[in-house]
Amino acid sequence: MTSGRYRSLLIEGGGTGYLKSAGQELKRLGWREGELSQRPKNDPAKLALAARLRQETTLALPWIATRLKMGTWKSLHAKLPWRRTA
């Protein structure tokens, strides 16, 4: 179950940027939105999409993690590229 604050984002359509960016990316990958749950949570393409959404939109990590079927927002945060050090 999604917590109240983030649930309202899902219901109110806070994902306008998501619809454009993610829709284009899913089309480029040849995926349908239903396939997101079938792909691994750490799929490189899903991680790249999550990082792009976070950089290009104001979407919160919990929203991105839920929409892209990537587990909890905390696990997504730990996997995103900017967390890696050289």
Side-chain angles (χ1 to χ4, degrees), residues 4-24:
R5 164 175 144 181
Y6 299 110
R7 181 176 163 81
S8 67
L9 284 175
L10 292 168
I11 293 170
E12 293 170 11
T16 303
Y18 164 80
L19 294 175
K20 291 179 184 176
S21 298
Q24 293 169 352

Side-chain angles (χ1 to χ4, degrees), residues 1-2 6 41-42 46-47 50 60-80:
M1 176 78 55
T2 308
Y6 299 110
K41 294 176 186 176
N42 63 347
K46 284 173 75 169
L47 288 170
L61 281 177
W63 193 94
I64 295 170
T66 300
R67 190 66 184 226
L68 297 182
K69 312 290 191 240
M70 298 186 76
T72 67
W73 73 268
K74 290 180 181 180
S75 65
L76 173 58
H77 184 264
K79 294 174 191 170
L80 288 175

